[in-house]
Amino acid sequence: MSGSSTGSVLLRGVLRRCAGAVVVLWAAITVTFVGIRAMPGSVEDVVLGIHANEPGLREQVRASLGLDEPVILQYFAYLGRVITGDFGRSYVLRADVSDVVFSQLGPTLQLAGAALLSALLVVWIVAVTTSGGSARSERALSLAELLAICLPTFWVGSLLIMWFSFGIKLFPASGADGLSALVLPTITLLLPLAGVLSQFMREEIGRQLRMPYIVSARSRGISEFRLRNVHLVPHAAVTTLTVAGTLFGSLIGGAVIVETVFGRPGLGRVALSAVGAQDTPVILAVVVLITTAYVVISTVVDLIALAIDPRLRKESA
Amino acid sequence: MTTRTTITAATGAAALAATLLLSACAPGGSSAAGAGDPVEGGTLTWAIAAEPSCFAPAFHQLLSDRAVIRNYVDSLVYQEEDGSFTPWLAESWEVSEDGTEYTFTLASDVTFTDGAALDAAAVKTNLDFTRDAANGSTYAGLLGSVADIAADGQVLTITLSAPDSSLLDSLSSVALGIVSPEGVALGDELCAIDSGLAGTGPFVLGDYTRGDQLALTRNDDYTSAPESLDHGGPAYLESVTYKFMPEDSVRIGALESGQVDAISGIPALDVAGIEGNAELQYLNGPSTSMPFGFTINADAANAPWDDPALRQAFRDSFDVDAIVESVYRGEVARAYSYVGSDSPEFDESLVDAWGNNPDGANAQLDAAGWDERDDEGFRTKDGERLTLSVTYDSDSVRDSRDTVIEAVQDQAAKNVGIEVDFTTPTWAEVSADIADGTWSVYPGSFGKVDYANNVIGVWGGFFFAATDYQPTGAIDAATAAATALTPEDRSAALRTVQQELVIDEAIFVPVAESTFQIAARTSVGGLGFDYSSANPDGNYGVWVAASE
């Protein structure tokens, strides 16, 4: 396999991924557009508030929001604006939506990114050190994973605040000021993700441990540390990374709760209040941004998988 | 630019609805502690539940936003605890005999923090902007009676189309606070903190992180404190930070663990814990806000509840005292009227005039023909169950109000066989039903309101705008109150309003008094309430003792 053919395979992979990403984005925008219109209540009622029944005002509002146009035209107008990065103006915040969401994107990505990376690190350590253990320890770990997945994020967050912020006063309870403010929200968010990933990774490593190449590697006298980290982890990493990529969306969902509990700035809080007030421009912008982030992450994950596992390169060539 | 104007106009309306419906909280006892004599310098951190969506007086949304805005915005007149008015930016004023002309003389040598001078023209620019409906201020209605505003040097003359007994009340509020005229021209762009928003207040806007916190720094040149305060010149504190913490338990824990110095919005059930903590003080605001209660649609669209006898039967079917006592354990007072019991306008005759009368309610329901019962014990007529739908938008449900509603639900079923169907949809859903007149019961509180104009705007203009039913008795009396020339006439008219809403028409069933609360470290002194809004005051008179 020459370098140039690897390159063209990678290029083709990237192009295919990008085309797929555009389709996913378009689908997300379309589904959200339809979904918001299917929600009970109407945007103009929210905008009109107590003036809902003043003569003539409703028509004016509908016209100014473009709601008097046929839905299909509204849809294409919206698509056109999104492509040029214009998300319009928030009815509730009275501010440019792009300004609002981009200012909130950073803290959310920081939180989700920290949770994702630390989840991978935790899972790596746990899987490498515990795989192939006794049946009893396997059961204990499975239970721990199940708990991590099932415990309600809201409850875990409150408990962590109670212990580590109000109790031993190690971390601040709220805000986004510096690294220490990131610790508790990250732990809260990473737990369910780590639970799922750990299940996948430990199972994969356990499977590999029974493979003949491991037996032959052991017979060469390789150290257990090297065996696990160099031979086993790359195998398990592909599955784990792919799962992690697909779970990134749920991380953003979890961020909504975590941001509320910890009083952290971020897209989640903005989205939550926008849905309550049917602030359509904000909802649509958040969906577009989160979808974009999701698509970018899963593309990167796929590319990393290509880099880790030569078989994927062959298969796609 | 018709498009932009209309959007902002309409948003204002939405904001008002949000203000009215999302504001206020609840409690009962009050305690205050001192921190010795005022101390110069230092910094104070507040944790508040809601982040203002707009920082400009003309466009702020929630009543609780006023506590923040008060720090950098002064008003023309100052509202005292007893509801009277004393000089602030206006040194003095005169009212013509027919009540239609107000002449204010403004303090001289006051400057906005952007350097502009405070004169009558600047005030006129503010008020003219807000009252022009095209600009979409949420608070245009506060100046609805104004026909003309004239400015001459430091003399401002407001001419009214009819007497307005609420004018000084309106002018004392943050909503009509005065900002630098340069900013006014920006319209709702002024909502953003970096837009050039500047008042004459004791603090200046500083760093702001959306979703996190706002910092304010002292205005060292401040000279325009309300005349009646015993403190003049700049504020004591050098800086103030507001942190936005939506979770009640986190806010309280942050106070207890010393991460913040003061918090507002305390659930009634947490009060005992705060009062029992020697390091903390608790202050309960005045009951001058409109209480929490049920507004019932009396239109045929909500049949059979268009029959006043049925609404009265529901009103009397449960024991308000017992419910409020059991849910709030004495921290919240039961309400009797749509007027808060600490307000001068409160009609004492409503005390014990209604409620907890299942026998009377049962007789009324029998007489109205709802005398059959179904398998589950609910009353029926012609095979139809007697059901009342209570919809409370989920964002507004707080401070155990859902528990209160469930208790009402339980008693109404047990005592008289009325089924209360309680749901919590989104505000968009609720507002759509109200807009087309098909709503049934809305539970809520409206904050500290101008009781005369509130009836006209909220019952007349909002709840019953789309219905054939009109609360004409209440609206006529409210109009009389709004245009009354003497406080006595105003009070008499407002008593009629309360009788109409609560007793005769039973379209408002009061449940619990609504107040705002503050809890703080005992090292904090000078905390109190802004009587124009019943909200926590700004930090002009606040100080922090050197060390705890």
Side-chain angles (χ1 to χ4, degrees):
Chain A
M1 191 164 47
S2 74
S4 73
S5 85
T6 307
S8 75
V9 166
L10 272 179
L11 184 68
R12 244 179 293 159
V14 170
L15 285 177
R16 198 181 303 135
R17 288 294 315 170
C18 289
V22 170
V23 173
V24 170
L25 267 178
W26 165 80
I29 294 169
T30 307
V31 167
T32 316
F33 185 88
V34 172
I36 285 175
R37 267 153 188 77
M39 268 163 78
S42 70
V43 174
E44 73 255 28
D45 280 326
V46 172
V47 171
L48 281 164
I50 73 158
H51 298 284
N53 296 294
E54 276 179 24
L57 208 53
R58 177 170 295 264
E59 289 67 32
Q60 274 184 45
V61 169
R62 287 185 64 83
S64 70
L65 299 176
L67 294 172
D68 55 344
E69 303 274 350
V71 172
I72 190 78
L73 287 186
Q74 293 178 37
Y75 169 69
F76 283 118
Y78 181 71
L79 270 187
R81 287 202 305 275
V82 167
I83 290 167
T84 58
D86 173 11
F87 291 107
R89 203 171 152 80
S90 158
Y91 312 141
V92 178
L93 300 174
R94 294 167 178 266
D96 193 62
V97 173
S98 307
D99 290 350
V100 174
V101 292
F102 283 116
S103 74
Q104 300 300 293
L105 184 61
T108 298
L109 286 184
Q110 195 183 35
L111 174 62
L116 183 62
L117 291 180
S118 38
L120 287 172
L121 187 68
V122 167
V123 167
W124 179 323
I125 294 169
V126 169
V128 163
T129 52
T130 65
S131 295
S134 69
R136 178 179 296 217
S137 76
E138 284 290 305
R139 272 202 302 276
L141 278 164
S142 294
L143 182 68
E145 284 161 357
L146 202 64
L147 277 176
I149 297 167
C150 298
L151 290 178
T153 307
F154 184 89
W155 183 78
V156 172
S158 305
L159 216 60
L160 288 178
I161 293 181
M162 211 105 80
W163 290 339
F164 296 104
S165 182
F166 303 155
I168 60 174
K169 304 188 182 180
L170 203 55
F171 302 105
S174 90
D177 213 11
L179 214 57
S180 66
L182 194 60
V183 176
L184 297 181
T186 301
I187 295 174
T188 311
L189 194 54
L190 80 79
L191 278 179
L193 181 71
V196 175
L197 293 183
S198 170
Q199 282 181 336
F200 276 98
M201 190 140 175
R202 285 193 317 109
E203 189 180 302
E204 184 63 23
I205 290 187
R207 202 169 65 83
Q208 298 288 338
L209 275 172
R210 296 187 294 273
M211 292 281 189
Y213 78 96
I214 295 297
V215 180
S216 80
R218 282 206 169 117
S219 66
R220 289 200 306 272
I222 189 170
S223 78
E224 190 68 17
F225 179 83
R226 192 175 152 75
L227 175 89
R228 290 186 174 226
N229 281 291
V230 177
H231 291 271
L232 290 176
V233 166
H235 282 285
V238 174
T239 324
T240 311
L241 273 178
T242 312
V243 174
T246 54
L247 287 177
F248 186 75
S250 68
L251 264 188
I252 302 272
V256 175
I257 300 167
V258 172
E259 283 166 6
T260 306
V261 175
F262 287 91
R264 264 182 75 84
L267 275 186
R269 259 172 96 179
V270 169
L272 196 66
S273 54
V275 169
Q278 213 156 355
D279 196 354
T280 326
V282 175
I283 303 174
L284 281 166
V286 170
V287 168
V288 170
L289 275 183
I290 290 178
T291 317
T292 310
Y294 180 74
V295 165
V296 168
I297 296 271
S298 54
T299 307
V300 169
V301 165
D302 282 0
L303 295 178
I304 293 176
L306 276 178
I308 296 178
D309 193 340
R311 288 172 304 179
L312 292 177
R313 291 201 286 271
K314 250 184 224 150
E315 279 157 17
S316 45
Chain B
M1 288 303 286
T2 1
T3 309
R4 168 61 59 80
T5 318
T6 315
I7 291 181
T8 55
T11 317
L16 177 54
T19 310
L20 297 173
L21 299 163
L22 300 179
S23 53
C25 283
S30 156
S31 74
D37 290 329
V39 177
E40 178 71 24
T43 175
L44 182 85
T45 303
W46 279 88
I48 60 176
E51 173 175 12
S53 61
C54 175
F55 291 90
F59 296 105
H60 75 276
Q61 269 199 316
L62 302 176
L63 208 52
S64 61
D65 298 347
R66 296 187 180 187
V68 177
I69 298 175
R70 191 40 105 200
N71 289 292
Y72 49 89
V73 168
D74 291 340
S75 291
L76 276 191
V77 298
Y78 183 73
Q79 187 165 153
E80 302 288 345
E81 187 169 3
D82 64 2
S84 64
F85 301 95
T86 54
W88 198 348
L89 290 178
E91 271 176 356
S92 64
W93 60 91
E94 281 169 22
V95 188
S96 69
E97 225 160 87
D98 66 354
T100 60
E101 197 177 280
Y102 284 69
T103 310
F104 296 90
T105 304
L106 306 183
S108 44
D109 302 328
V110 174
T111 51
F112 293 97
T113 50
D114 67 355
L118 174 89
D119 56 14
V123 176
K124 175 179 158 62
T125 303
N126 273 272
L127 300 183
D128 277 344
F129 175 86
T130 302
R131 74 194 183 95
D132 183 350
N135 292 324
S137 166
T138 316
Y139 306 103
L142 293 179
L143 295 166
S145 62
V146 174
D148 184 59
I149 300 177
D152 179 14
Q154 297 301 105
V155 177
L156 181 86
T157 308
I158 298 180
T159 310
L160 305 177
S161 51
D164 180 355
S165 63
S166 309
L167 185 71
L168 290 177
D169 186 31
S170 303
L171 290 174
S172 73
S173 86
V174 165
L176 297 182
I178 307 300
V179 299
S180 177
E182 290 211 11
V184 174
L186 293 171
D188 71 357
E189 305 278 336
L190 206 58
C191 283
I193 276 199
D194 52 6
S195 59
L197 178 58
T200 58
F203 292 89
V204 183
L205 286 161
D207 290 338
Y208 166 59
T209 313
R210 189 185 288 277
D212 188 7
Q213 62 178 46
L214 165 70
L216 299 152
T217 52
R218 183 165 62 191
N219 171 9
D220 290 326
D221 303 321
Y222 187 64
T223 55
S224 51
E227 200 180 273
S228 67
L229 302 185
D230 46 14
H231 161 212
Y236 302 119
L237 293 166
E238 272 166 24
S239 63
V240 175
T241 300
Y242 284 91
K243 286 179 175 286
F244 314 123
M245 298 190 189
E247 277 304 311
D248 293 335
S249 60
V250 175
R251 230 166 32 250
I252 291 166
L255 175 71
E256 287 170 341
S257 63
Q259 295 180 37
V260 300
D261 305 302
I263 63 173
S264 58
I266 295 121
L269 297 184
D270 290 301
V271 171
I274 290 170
E275 287 187 317
N277 185 332
E279 291 177 355
L280 303 180
Q281 55 179 316
Y282 172 74
L283 285 85
N284 190 14
S287 293
T288 50
S289 297
M290 195 194 122
F292 168 68
F294 299 103
T295 294
I296 307 175
N297 187 355
D299 190 63
N302 190 34
W305 301 98
D306 51 342
D307 177 357
L310 260 59
R311 298 195 297 273
Q312 289 162 353
F314 168 68
R315 179 195 68 198
D316 295 339
S317 68
F318 52 91
D319 184 348
V320 195
D321 291 281
I323 291 173
V324 172
E325 173 62 34
S326 72
V327 175
Y328 296 116
R329 296 179 205 155
E331 296 296 344
V332 174
R334 170 253 163 111
Y336 293 100
S337 174
Y338 106 99
V339 170
S341 61
D342 286 343
S343 306
E345 296 97 337
F346 176 65
D347 182 357
E348 296 278 351
S349 76
L350 286 174
V351 174
D352 294 329
W354 59 271
N356 194 22
N357 181 12
D359 293 345
N362 276 315
Q364 270 176 309
L365 295 171
D366 286 338
W370 293 87
D371 47 6
E372 308 266 321
R373 298 272 183 153
D374 64 14
D375 303 345
E376 293 174 58
F378 293 113
R379 285 176 181 270
T380 60
K381 183 177 174 179
D382 305 328
E384 208 181 312
R385 183 183 281 184
L386 186 58
T387 303
L388 194 57
S389 298
V390 175
T391 49
Y392 198 12
D393 56 300
S394 48
D395 287 344
S396 297
V397 180
R398 59 183 177 277
D399 202 11
S400 307
R401 285 182 177 179
D402 44 352
T403 315
V404 171
I405 296 170
E406 281 156 11
V408 169
Q409 182 178 45
D410 189 49
Q411 290 204 2
K414 233 183 280 170
N415 296 348
V416 302
I418 294 174
E419 181 188 44
V420 174
D421 178 22
F422 173 42
T423 50
T424 54
T426 64
W427 171 239
E429 219 168 317
V430 173
S431 64
D433 285 347
I434 291 174
D436 62 20
T438 56
W439 58 286
S440 182
V441 178
Y442 185 79
S445 58
F446 294 66
K448 167 90 158 59
V449 294
D450 162 0
Y451 287 114
N453 286 312
N454 187 57
V455 171
I456 301 167
V458 172
W459 275 282
F462 182 54
F463 283 118
F464 293 108
T467 57
D468 291 332
Y469 170 87
Q470 294 294 311
T472 37
I475 289 174
D476 290 348
T479 309
T483 55
L485 284 177
T486 65
E488 294 73 28
D489 288 352
R490 181 182 157 89
S491 292
L494 282 171
R495 278 196 297 277
T496 308
V497 171
Q498 293 167 68
Q499 293 286 339
E500 282 281 331
L501 289 175
V502 179
I503 303 296
D504 301 342
E505 288 295 301
I507 55 175
F508 182 70
V509 180
V511 176
E513 289 281 2
S514 175
T515 61
F516 291 86
Q517 316 81 32
I518 300 172
R521 314 287 303 171
T522 46
S523 54
V524 184
L527 291 164
F529 293 87
D530 168 13
Y531 296 108
S532 74
S533 65
N535 256 275
D537 207 350
N539 294 282
Y540 177 60
V542 178
W543 71 88
V544 180
S547 67
E548 246 175 89

